[in-house]
Structure formats: C-alpha cells, structure tokens
Amino acid sequence: MASDPRSYQAPPDLLRDRAILVTGAGAGIGRCAALSFARHGATVILCGRTAARLEQIYDEIVAAGAPEPVLAPLSLERATEAEYRELATHIHEEFGRLDGLLHNAGVLGQRTSIANYDAATWQQVMQVNVTAGFLLTKALLPALREADSASVLFTSSGVGRRGRAFWGAYAVSKFAVEGLSQVLAAELEQTSRIRVNCINPGATRTAMRAAAYPAEDPASLKTPEQIMPAYLYLIGPDSSGVTGQSLDAQ
Ligand code: NDP
C-alpha cells in the first residue's frame, strides 16, 4: 500500500485507456472525481440522475482536452434491474470491459431520531445508498472481470463505522456499504482480478455537507479537489493488491 494514500501523487497518465464509471457525477465529490479521473486519462462514464448536470460536466471534460466521456443518466432510486443490465451491455459493447467503478452517489435523508424517522425516507436512503450499489455492481461484474486490474470503490462515512445519534438511515446505510464492500472483496479476492474497497471522504465542502451542518463555515472544510489523491490511488493501478480495506481520504 502507498505510504499514505492521502498524499499520493498520481502520474498524469495514471488512468490512460481506462474506462471508469462514477455515480453521482453531476455534483460535489463525484463531479470532482469524474473531472480528475478524466484529466488523468480515463474515459469516464458519467452516471447520475440530473441529465443537465451530467451534460455540464461532459462539456467541461471535453473542454479540458480529456477523453470524451459517456453520459449515463440513471435514477438510482427508481432504476430497475433491467436498466442496470442495459447500462452494462452498453459498456460491454463500447469498451469490452470496465476498469473502475466509483459508487459515490448518496442521499442524506433526515437528521432525526429513530423514533421519529419517516419510513418512506428510510427506504429511499437505503435504496440509493445501498441497494443501488448492489444492483449496479452485480450488473457490471462481468465487465469488471474482463479488466486486467479492476477497482470497485464504495463511499462510506465516519457514521458508517461508529453510530451517531440522529443520523438515522444514512448512518445505517453506510454501515451496510462497509459490509457490502467486505463481502464482495472476500468473494472476489481468490477468483478475480477485482479489488473492492471503501473510502471515507471526511468533512468536505459540498451541498450535502452544508445540508447536514447548516451553521458550519464551508471555508473551514477541505474542497473535493483536495481529497482526490486517495481517490486516484484507490481507483488506479497503484493500489493493485489492496482489497477489503476502508480508507480515509483526509
Ligand atoms: P452531494 O449531495 O453534493 O452529491 C451527491 C450526488 O449524488 C449528486 O450528484 C446527486 O445527483 C447524486 N444522487 C443523489 N441521489 C441520486 C439518485 N437517486 N440517483 C442518482 N444520483 C443521485 O454529496 P457529496 O458530494 O457530499 O457526497 C458524495 C458521497 O460522499 C456520498 O456518498 C456521501 O454520503 C459521501 N460523504 C460525503 C461527505 C461530505 O462531507 N461531503 C462526508 C462523508 C461521506 P444530483 O446532482 O442530481 O443531485
């Protein structure tokens, strides 16, 4: 493992000729990761629910002279298994493989006690944060198996390792993400070239963080750009052999 993934320095062509799918690519950390992966040579498959945001980031990537990305609008709340399979078929036809999969999209849900938690919101959070990750990974496993060294990266959180009052379904969903990542890593370790890890971004200046901590000064937080070294390390080939881990981006 790199001495410290947080201070990893990615070579400019780290991800050249790699196809990498990023969920929640339209905003926040996912947007920054998509741009950063593209700038390091990857062809990025931009997955997210708001097509207009994906188109904006598409334009930005093309304007930066990076490989032309692929637009993949998909609601992780509503997509059916057939739609995930359709996306997988498209990726297989276009690239013949998938080298990286960043499960980044997430929703916060309510900040309230379990006693007061709304059942429909609970389902929505679990669907987007956990079940969609399972369905997408399942559909994309054949394409991931075709890559020489594939990386699946799930997004966790501090509250996914130690429960905290009033974080409800969000915290529970992140515990589940850690579990899904561990189970998958163990299943794939001996039978494939796919590694599976979790990353905890830590407090980062995005809309979600602002919603969770409205009184906080955003200027006191790291920007998504500043936490990219650990993302680049884990998604790229320098983390070959690292699997079943949960790392901090800051
Ligand atoms: P943002 O709210 O800024 O961005 C979340 C992204 O997820 C958006 O692009 C959003 O799409 C997308 N998304 C939400 N729901 C769906 C859906 N149903 N289908 C498809 N896409 C969806 O969040 P962050 O960038 O802050 O968070 C990214 C990840 O990091 C999350 O998993 C979060 O839990 C985690 N995290 C963040 C921390 C932080 O401090 N920011 C700390 C710890 C963990 P749209 O653009 O359409 O809204």
Side-chain angles (χ1 to χ4, degrees), residues 24-30 48-50 53 74-77 104-107 128 155-158 170 174 200-209 231:
I29 296 167
R49 70 180 158 182
T50 311
R53 286 187 174 173
L74 192 72
S75 165
L76 299 179
E77 195 181 336
N104 160 85
V107 286
V128 174
T155 306
S156 184
S157 164
Y170 180 84
K174 295 299 187 181
N200 167 24
T204 309
R205 197 186 306 170
T206 67
M208 183 189 285
R209 178 75 192 186
Y231 280 78

Side-chain angles (χ1 to χ4, degrees), residues 127-189:
Q127 181 67 34
V128 174
N129 293 6
V130 186
T131 308
F134 149 65
L135 291 170
L136 186 58
T137 308
K138 183 181 168 192
L140 291 172
L141 269 179
L144 289 160
R145 284 189 192 278
E146 294 297 325
D148 288 339
S149 161
S151 173
V152 177
L153 192 50
F154 287 94
T155 306
S156 184
S157 164
V159 297
R161 297 176 182 161
R162 170 104 202 135
R164 204 181 300 158
F166 311 121
W167 280 80
Y170 180 84
V172 174
S173 75
K174 295 299 187 181
F175 271 87
V177 161
E178 294 267 359
L180 174 57
S181 173
Q182 285 179 23
V183 170
L184 195 58
E187 287 176 0
L188 295 174
E189 192 167 10

